């Protein structure tokens, strides 16, 4: 097992409109850097504000 930590953030959608995630990986004991990068990316891209899922099927 490696000593890497990571976080997944939404970064786009595929051809079916399903969300795609980007994983940010960092070294052990550098969780603050990983979280800061993820936060900065989310603030810059504003994916959650722009992505409005549509649900198909189901009951």
């Amino acid at each position: 097992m490696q000593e890497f930590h990571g976080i997944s953030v939404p970064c786009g959608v595929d051809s079916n409109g399903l969300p795609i995630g980007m994983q940010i990986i960092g070294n052990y004991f550098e969780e603050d850097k990983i979280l800061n990068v993820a936060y900065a990316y989310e603030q810059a891209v504003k994916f959650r504000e722009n992505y409005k899922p549509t649900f198909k099927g189901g009951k």
Side-chain angles (χ1 to χ4, degrees), residues 32-51:
D32 58 329
K33 290 181 184 178
I34 298 167
L35 292 172
N36 285 332
V37 169
Y39 178 77
Y41 178 80
E42 285 189 329
Q43 295 303 302
V45 174
K46 305 235 183 274
F47 177 79
R48 293 192 304 168
E49 292 177 18
N50 297 323
Y51 175 66

Side-chain angles (χ1 to χ4, degrees), residues 5 7-9 12 14-15 18 27 31 33 35 39-41 44 46-47 50 53 55 57:
H5 294 167
I7 188 170
S8 180
V9 293
D14 68 9
S15 61
L18 297 173
N27 292 326
E31 293 87 354
K33 290 181 184 178
L35 292 172
Y39 178 77
Y41 178 80
K46 305 235 183 274
F47 177 79
N50 297 323
F55 297 100

Side-chain angles (χ1 to χ4, degrees), residues 2-24:
Q2 298 294 319
E3 300 279 333
F4 297 107
H5 294 167
I7 188 170
S8 180
V9 293
C11 66
V13 295
D14 68 9
S15 61
N16 294 316
L18 297 173
I20 298 172
M22 172 177 64
Q23 194 163 23
I24 301 168

